[in-house]
Amino acid sequence: NWDTKPSVVSYNAVLNCWCSIDKRGDDRKFDPDLSNFAMKRADAILRKMQSMELAQRPDEVSYHTMIKGYGNDIRKAEKCVQEMIENGVRPNQDTYRSLLKVLERDDRFPKQAEKTAKMMEIQQKFEFTPATNGKQDRNGPSPSFRNTR
């Protein structure tokens, strides 16, 4: 069928490629210009997806990919979660874990106490509660978010 349109899965694969550029951890020197260019491209794709029909709109995977792409910039990752909520996608335990990983690498918070304070701020901002709802996985209680749309 030649009328096939790309799905959110197709767009997510492209997002992942752009968000992964220069973040492979190989022996090459990190190139911030290349990384910034790649994230700008990924951001443009996400914006385009937000204006498409429902089957192509960003989902949890789209936003988690972007959060991971921000790598060590918690402020950009927080902004992405805010957009996620504004676009009707509920943050979940994977969102929280992705934010933790970004915060862990953010050099603006060099001390553990600063990172802990920032995480508490994020919990309050997004109304995160470490409620288990009777569920538990290998990583401990499953967090939930009170902020729903």
Side-chain angles (χ1 to χ4, degrees):
N1 183 353
W2 293 104
D3 295 329
T4 303
K5 295 180 182 178
S7 69
V8 69
V9 174
S10 304
Y11 282 106
N12 285 344
V14 174
L15 273 179
N16 188 51
C17 289
W18 282 113
C19 289
S20 299
I21 288 180
D22 215 18
K23 293 178 179 63
R24 286 178 252 140
D26 55 19
D27 292 334
R28 293 182 310 130
K29 184 178 177 188
F30 176 73
D31 184 347
D33 292 333
L34 178 59
S35 184
N36 289 336
F37 172 78
M39 286 308 296
K40 285 179 184 177
R41 293 293 301 199
D43 190 59
I45 292 166
L46 185 71
R47 302 279 162 254
K48 182 177 179 179
M49 290 172 70
Q50 289 170 341
S51 66
M52 295 179 144
E53 55 190 64
L54 190 58
Q56 297 168 313
R57 287 208 180 124
D59 61 8
E60 294 89 354
V61 174
S62 311
Y63 288 106
H64 292 169
T65 300
M66 292 296 293
I67 291 168
K68 290 175 187 173
Y70 290 126
N72 63 350
D73 191 335
I74 192 65
R75 291 184 180 114
K76 287 182 180 178
E78 280 182 271
K79 185 178 176 189
C80 189
V81 173
Q82 189 61 46
E83 285 182 27
M84 180 180 186
I85 293 167
E86 290 168 2
N87 285 291
V89 180
R90 272 185 80 186
N92 59 29
Q93 66 185 359
D94 293 329
T95 311
Y96 185 68
R97 288 184 186 135
S98 294
L99 286 171
L100 280 174
K101 288 177 183 175
V102 172
L103 179 59
E104 191 176 281
R105 292 186 297 259
D106 195 324
D107 293 336
R108 288 177 291 208
F109 303 93
K111 296 181 180 173
Q112 189 60 41
E114 293 172 346
K115 290 184 189 296
T116 301
K118 183 63 179 171
M119 206 62 234
M120 295 300 289
E121 178 188 320
I122 289 170
Q123 286 177 346
Q124 290 175 347
K125 181 177 181 178
F126 298 115
E127 299 181 357
F128 172 79
T129 58
T132 62
N133 296 330
K135 299 177 185 173
Q136 200 160 359
D137 66 7
R138 70 178 189 271
N139 297 314
S142 300
S144 64
F145 285 81
R146 285 183 276 154
N147 192 345
T148 59
R149 288 199 168 222

